[in-house]
Amino acid sequence: MEDILQLLPKHRQILTHAWGRAATHTCLCRSLVELSKRFLPLNFASGEPGDEGREIVVIDCRANAKGQREEDALLENGSQSNESDDISTDQSPEPPAPLKETSFSIGLQVVLPFLLAGFGTVAAGMVLDIVQHWTVFTEVTEVFILVPALLGLKGNLEMTLASRLSTAANIGQMDSAKDMWKMIVGNLALIQVQATVVGFLASIAAVIFGWIPEGNFRLGHAILLCASSVATAFIASLILGIIMIGVIIASRKVGINPDNVATPIAASLGDLITLSLLAGISTGLYKELGTQFNDYANPLVCAVFVALTPLWVLIARRIPSTREVLYSGWEPVIIAMAISSVGGLILDKTVSNPNFAGMAVFTPVINGVGGNLVAVQASRISTYLHMNGIPMGDPDPNPRKCPTPCTSFFGSNVNSRSARVLFLLVAPGHLVFLYTINSMQGGHTTLTSIFIAFYMAAALLQVLILLYLADWMVHWMWSRGMNPDNFSIPYLTALGDLLGTGFLALCFHVLWLIGDRDTDVGD
């Protein structure tokens, strides 16, 4: 551009004006082309303008008095209107407008999905309370280690999928039917790959955690755990992924922010579907251990689902957005699975003890509520940064300091507002869920005032820690060039499983020490 201006000092103002506005005005782009053809020498491409080129310019400009006056008049008019044009039209596309949400609107959109998700976790707790006495759970206690890891898939995969698609929908990447179907097919294939791999690794973790303390390894039980885990993860992820896509598309059509509803609805059926599948599949495969099909039934199940993995890889690689996650998105999923497995080890060692049998019905509830709320917050902050923040990974001219609990919960921005709303939902939500469990005569523990006090303290502390970590983690990942939609929710929901199971086990242990030992309730 500088070379052009040096060659054409007489027309510098014309070309500068046209060039500066070419990015936003298509008509001026065409004007620039016309001006270039009109004023540039024919041999400019060769890099040798010379005197001959200047003569061509003069000739082509029609250097007569009338024509010159017309050009000067046009230039003057353009200069006079330049200031008003700059006011009406920016030179770069405006970012999407920030979400205009009040505390009331956030709560109104979140409360119904939150309650639905909570009742789903209550149902999952009732199922776990029943199936803990089934033969496969009493004979192969390592299945309990699989429970948090597989239930955590809704955070590792489905909630991450919901967050990813919610952000894409909010920033306009799913407006056209072609783009929408690409996102749908690519993301479904991606979560099938991740579900198969995570299910396989979760079974290995269950075998290791169950074998090391006891020193008793049984190959048949190991293959049973592998087949049950892979099959459950694959089928549950497919069902929940389809549900998530439908929820996000429907939310956009009715004008609801998908970030507020998608992740809770992912959990409303996630725990129930996953736990029911795990109990049914593991029971069916356990029956095969005593039959003539023992030699190949369970390995065949593993082989079938693993053999489908290359197909899902090929599909996911065809979509640019999922190709990146396919290559770089394994670290959070695998680490989150390992963290959830530690929570599963705690569950295995407590629920298998008759004195702590009452934990089974409450574990999916406290873990699910904490995971649902922190997933909503992480998804909202991620969308906020995508729409309003500096480019991901670029140095921040005003770097954000590590947040304090006061800034995370009592700030004036929309993220602090949503954190307050989500935290205030914890106590009334858990009271409703505890009343529901008590009304259905579930569990093995009487809901005394002292039990409710310990339980609520554990739940509030869990969510308080998770919401604070979400505020820090999402911004930290963004500053490091890591997409929070792909990385933050697996870590946060896995930590929610670990904190929830650990705090709940501590509550039951303290209650046992102070004499609250009515574990026969519900038998």
Side-chain angles (χ1 to χ4, degrees):
M1 181 62 190
E2 292 296 327
D3 294 336
I4 298 175
L5 295 179
Q6 291 174 3
L7 290 173
L8 304 171
K10 185 176 181 179
H11 305 284
R12 178 187 298 270
Q13 191 173 5
I14 296 176
L15 290 178
T16 303
H17 175 69
W19 189 276
R21 305 194 59 79
T24 54
H25 296 281
T26 305
C27 62
L28 286 177
C29 288
R30 291 194 295 266
S31 300
L32 179 60
V33 175
E34 294 298 327
L35 287 170
S36 300
K37 292 179 180 179
R38 193 172 180 182
F39 296 121
L40 288 180
L42 296 178
N43 60 342
F44 177 74
S46 63
E48 301 175 356
D51 295 335
E52 181 182 357
R54 293 193 181 94
E55 293 177 359
I56 295 174
V57 171
V58 173
I59 294 173
D60 197 32
C61 284
R62 303 171 185 175
N64 55 71
K66 182 178 179 181
Q68 187 65 42
R69 286 195 299 271
E70 289 175 352
E71 290 176 358
D72 292 341
L74 288 173
L75 177 59
E76 182 179 359
N77 292 335
S79 301
Q80 292 175 353
S81 62
N82 189 25
E83 182 177 357
S84 60
D85 288 345
D86 288 341
I87 295 175
S88 60
T89 307
D90 293 328
Q91 294 188 5
S92 59
E94 292 185 1
L99 300 175
K100 303 296 183 182
E101 295 177 298
T102 63
S103 298
F104 178 77
S105 65
I106 294 172
L108 190 63
Q109 292 186 23
V110 170
V111 65
L112 181 58
F114 169 71
L115 291 175
L116 290 176
F119 287 125
T121 60
V122 168
M126 299 292 292
V127 171
L128 183 59
D129 186 52
I130 295 172
V131 302
Q132 66 174 326
H133 304 295
W134 288 10
T135 304
V136 65
F137 284 86
T138 56
E139 296 297 326
V140 189
T141 60
E142 292 82 5
V143 177
F144 282 112
I145 302 178
L146 292 177
V147 171
L150 294 181
L151 296 187
L153 285 178
K154 71 178 185 298
N156 296 348
L157 304 183
E158 282 79 34
M159 287 183 177
T160 302
L161 169 68
S163 178
R164 195 160 53 236
L165 292 182
S166 295
T167 298
N170 279 323
I171 64 179
Q173 292 182 356
M174 295 179 63
D175 290 345
S176 67
K178 181 179 179 181
D179 293 339
M180 181 181 68
W181 281 109
K182 281 185 177 181
M183 294 288 291
I184 290 174
V185 174
N187 279 279
L188 280 179
L190 174 65
I191 64 172
Q192 296 313 114
V193 176
Q194 292 177 325
T196 303
V197 174
V198 171
F200 180 76
L201 295 178
S203 65
I204 295 177
V207 170
I208 294 175
F209 289 155
W211 172 55
I212 290 178
E214 299 178 0
N216 183 21
F217 176 76
R218 297 183 61 179
L219 181 61
H221 287 180
I223 298 177
L224 168 67
L225 290 173
C226 180
S228 302
S229 181
V230 171
T232 300
F234 184 94
I235 299 173
S237 295
L238 179 61
I239 296 173
L240 294 173
I242 294 174
I243 293 175
M244 280 303 88
I245 291 169
V247 167
I248 291 170
I249 294 175
S251 298
R252 292 291 293 173
K253 288 185 179 296
V254 299
I256 296 177
N257 185 354
D259 287 314
N260 293 335
V261 298
T263 50
I265 291 179
S268 63
L269 295 176
D271 288 346
L272 180 60
I273 291 175
T274 303
L275 191 55
S276 300
L277 286 172
L278 176 62
I281 292 173
S282 60
T283 298
L285 294 176
Y286 180 76
K287 293 179 180 178
E288 299 298 326
L289 291 176
T291 67
Q292 59 180 346
F293 301 104
N294 177 40
D295 293 337
Y296 63 87
N298 290 342
L300 182 62
V301 173
C302 290
V304 169
F305 287 105
V306 172
L308 292 173
T309 303
L311 174 62
W312 310 126
V313 171
L314 291 176
I315 296 175
R317 286 181 59 187
R318 297 179 61 185
I319 312 299
S321 59
T322 55
R323 184 189 306 124
E324 178 185 357
V325 182
L326 183 65
Y327 293 142
S328 62
W330 291 103
E331 179 183 342
V333 173
I334 294 174
I335 295 178
M337 180 274 302
I339 296 173
S340 296
S341 296
V342 176
L345 180 61
I346 298 174
L347 182 65
D348 179 30
K349 298 305 177 184
T350 51
V351 175
S352 58
N353 184 344
N355 296 328
F356 298 96
M359 270 191 61
V361 71
F362 300 108
T363 300
V365 178
I366 192 171
N367 291 350
V369 169
N372 298 343
L373 293 178
V374 74
V376 171
Q377 180 70 352
S379 181
R380 289 179 56 85
I381 298 175
S382 178
T383 297
Y384 178 85
L385 292 175
H386 275 284
M387 298 178 68
N388 301 280
I390 63 174
M392 186 167 50
D394 285 3
D396 192 345
N398 298 312
R400 186 175 187 266
K401 297 180 180 180
C402 183
T404 64
C406 290
T407 58
S408 296
F409 291 94
F410 300 104
S412 59
N413 58 65
V414 67
N415 295 324
S416 298
R417 193 181 306 135
S418 63
R420 293 192 295 269
V421 171
L422 296 174
F423 183 75
L424 291 176
L425 289 175
V426 177
H430 272 295
L431 289 176
V432 172
F433 304 145
L434 290 176
Y435 176 77
T436 303
I437 293 173
N438 186 62
S439 300
M440 300 176 66
Q441 298 182 352
H444 301 264
T445 303
T446 303
L447 296 185
T448 61
S449 58
I450 188 170
F451 171 80
I452 294 176
F454 274 97
Y455 179 88
M456 295 301 296
L460 289 171
L461 182 60
Q462 175 208 29
V463 175
L464 185 70
I465 294 173
L466 290 176
L467 291 177
Y468 171 72
L469 288 176
D471 187 29
W472 167 78
M473 184 178 293
V474 173
H475 285 92
W476 180 83
M477 289 181 173
W478 183 270
S479 66
R480 296 300 187 277
M482 303 162 63
N483 190 346
D485 286 323
N486 300 328
F487 288 88
S488 63
I489 292 181
Y491 289 123
L492 292 169
T493 54
L495 288 172
D497 292 342
L498 179 59
L499 291 174
T501 306
F503 288 160
L504 191 61
L506 182 62
C507 287
F508 272 83
H509 185 67
V510 172
L511 289 171
W512 177 260
L513 292 178
I514 64 178
D516 188 5
R517 305 178 179 181
D518 55 341
T519 57
D520 59 337
V521 176
D523 281 346

